[in-house]
Amino acid sequence: MAIDIPRELIDKLAQARRVAVLTGAGISAESGIPTFRDALSGLWANYDPLKLATPEGFVRDPKLVWEWYAARRTRIASLQPNPGHAALAALERRFEQFTLVTQNIDSLHQRAGSHEVVELHGNLMRVKCSREQVVVSSFAEDESPPRCHCGAYLRPDVVWFGEMLPVDALARAEEAAEHCEVFLSIGTSAQVYPAAELPLRALSAGATVIEINPESTSLTRHAHFSLHAASGIVLPQLLERLNAASA
Ligand code: APR
């Protein structure tokens, strides 16, 4: 399916030196990971997020929370990056500065070859001590949950509801949004702050904002361009057009 990508959009990207990207669950949808807000098949549809994705839920039932995340980890490890992830990795190589900010915890950007990835919500594949907050690389796989050498439980290194975002990651994301010439918002419902604020910061700083999402979001009316189609379809075509424009 050929997507109608405006010539002016390609020109803006062809001229840009600094590009920032924000991705959400939608970029991984075509890899087989359900999005959060999909009412029928969404990740939270059969689970109570307050039991699984809050520090209080972990204190109440550490085994349930650990096992739920362990199952997600195994499932995601068996899935592959899709053409949207691959196109972003190829785009990174074209620009002087390219910062890929993601709300996803699935490592699929890194597995597709992206290097400058800022993870706002942590990474499911990493584990940290629930007391010391330090990342731990080896632990007893057969315990549920395993314990840190300090005696506290280990937990996934992801940001749960009600928790602060990693300070360094947020600072890097804000810096990229405020200093880019083009900002792409891809596969995010743009509802969860502070991530949702990044495209607005970019707009205020004078960047061209491009949204890629099959649905309209609260960002759509602010964006300079909105491409309403799946990112795994749009991004490879965008890359191809950009390559052709600078050939
Ligand atoms: N290509 C691009 N976008 C898609 C695709 C696709 N193939 N499929 C779905 N989308 C869009 C949906 O239209 C929706 O706007 O992806 C968006 C996914 O939205 P959410 O499920 O709300 O995911 P996200 O924006 O990443 O959520 C942000 O909320 O629950 C928290 O911490 C969690 O990181 C998550 C945050």
Side-chain angles (χ1 to χ4, degrees):
M1 182 178 55
I3 307 293
D4 183 17
I5 303 176
R7 173 80 215 184
E8 309 87 81
L9 184 162
I10 299 296
D11 289 345
K12 284 283 181 197
L13 267 175
Q15 287 154 16
R17 285 172 303 127
R18 295 184 302 275
V19 172
V21 181
L22 172 68
T23 63
I27 186 117
S28 295
E30 290 153 270
S31 292
I33 304 176
T35 63
F36 295 93
R37 260 154 266 281
D38 184 328
L40 293 174
S41 61
L43 203 51
W44 303 112
N46 300 317
Y47 303 94
D48 178 355
L50 294 178
K51 286 202 181 118
L52 295 168
T54 60
E56 297 78 17
F58 185 63
V59 169
R60 200 176 308 128
D61 196 341
K63 183 173 157 64
L64 173 81
V65 174
W66 177 265
E67 287 179 357
W68 192 71
Y69 279 94
R72 278 181 75 191
R73 195 178 299 129
T74 306
R75 160 118 182 96
I76 288 173
S78 74
L79 300 173
Q80 300 307 320
N82 67 57
H85 296 109
L88 284 176
L91 274 177
E92 176 174 10
R93 296 191 277 274
R94 294 188 57 99
F95 297 97
E96 214 173 284
Q97 255 182 51
F98 188 90
T99 309
L100 175 47
V101 180
T102 189
Q103 299 165 89
N104 299 343
I105 57 173
D106 56 27
S107 290
L108 289 179
H109 285 305
Q110 290 92 334
R111 285 173 56 199
S114 286
H115 296 288
E116 279 293 307
V117 183
V118 177
E119 294 177 322
L120 285 183
H121 295 169
N123 191 313
L124 175 65
M125 305 299 163
R126 279 194 312 261
V127 162
K128 68 177 178 183
C129 171
S130 59
R131 183 188 298 151
E132 301 162 319
Q133 307 296 323
V134 177
V135 173
V136 170
S137 53
S138 68
F139 54 87
E141 301 268 357
D142 54 344
E143 288 174 35
S144 189
R147 286 188 189 268
C148 176
H149 62 81
C150 77
Y153 283 133
L154 298 179
R155 55 162 280 185
D157 186 15
V158 299
V159 177
W160 281 333
F161 293 109
E163 291 188 317
M164 297 279 289
L165 269 62
V167 176
D168 287 0
L170 186 57
R172 279 179 70 198
E174 288 173 347
E175 157 86 16
E178 281 163 13
H179 292 97
C180 67
E181 291 146 341
V182 175
F183 187 101
L184 289 131
S185 176
I186 305 171
T188 174
S189 58
Q191 280 179 21
V192 174
Y193 283 79
E197 206 175 61
L198 295 171
L200 304 177
R201 279 183 185 248
L203 264 181
S204 309
T208 298
V209 173
I210 302 168
E211 181 180 49
I212 300 175
N213 194 318
E215 311 284 334
S216 290
T217 72
S218 58
L219 178 66
T220 307
R221 66 195 166 93
H222 301 290
H224 295 95
F225 301 97
S226 278
L227 302 176
H228 289 300
S231 46
I233 305 286
V234 177
L235 285 167
Q237 292 186 31
L238 191 118
L239 177 67
E240 203 176 301
R241 286 278 303 279
L242 195 57
N243 286 341
S246 45

